[in-house]
Amino acid sequence: MSILNKTFEILKDRLDSKCTNGNVGGTERVLSVVAGGFILGVGVKNLFRSPLTSFSGIALGGSLIYRGVTGQCKLTSALNSEEEKPETTVIEHRYFVK
């Protein structure tokens, strides 16, 4: 079994397993892995032509693959925690002096 086949099997097993504490849905996970693999591949391909752009592509692709495989997204959890804050009411007192 080649390294590539073994890697695909591991990814498939991770994606097929239920993510109990994840905040990313199943379809979104698959799309993240596919898009991350494409961006990572383009980044590696153009590494010597434009290194700065390639490093950013490699970082973005890797983070998308990580997001898809684990089902965890720090950005989504940060945005959801902002939405879950309790609603506050501002009470304003004004005093007028004659």
Side-chain angles (χ1 to χ4, degrees):
M1 182 183 250
S2 70
I3 294 174
L4 191 58
N5 288 338
K6 186 168 178 81
T7 304
F8 283 139
E9 287 297 320
I10 291 171
L11 283 174
K12 184 178 174 230
D13 290 341
R14 283 281 185 108
L15 287 174
D16 288 341
S17 67
K18 294 288 183 185
C19 185
T20 57
N21 57 356
N23 56 4
V24 180
T27 306
E28 197 174 351
R29 291 175 71 187
V30 171
L31 290 174
S32 290
V33 170
V34 170
F38 177 74
I39 294 171
L40 182 74
V42 170
V44 169
K45 180 182 174 186
N46 296 328
L47 187 62
F48 294 111
R49 191 177 316 164
S50 58
L52 187 60
T53 307
S54 295
F55 285 135
S56 62
I58 290 169
L60 177 64
S63 63
L64 280 172
I65 291 172
Y66 175 79
R67 177 181 190 258
V69 170
T70 62
Q72 295 290 325
C73 181
K74 304 258 186 216
L75 184 62
T76 304
S77 63
L79 289 174
N80 287 341
S81 68
E82 289 291 323
E83 293 174 357
E84 293 172 359
K85 287 186 178 178
E87 191 174 315
T88 58
T89 305
V90 177
I91 300 173
E92 192 172 315
H93 295 283
R94 295 186 184 194
Y95 298 99
F96 296 100
V97 178
K98 284 187 167 185

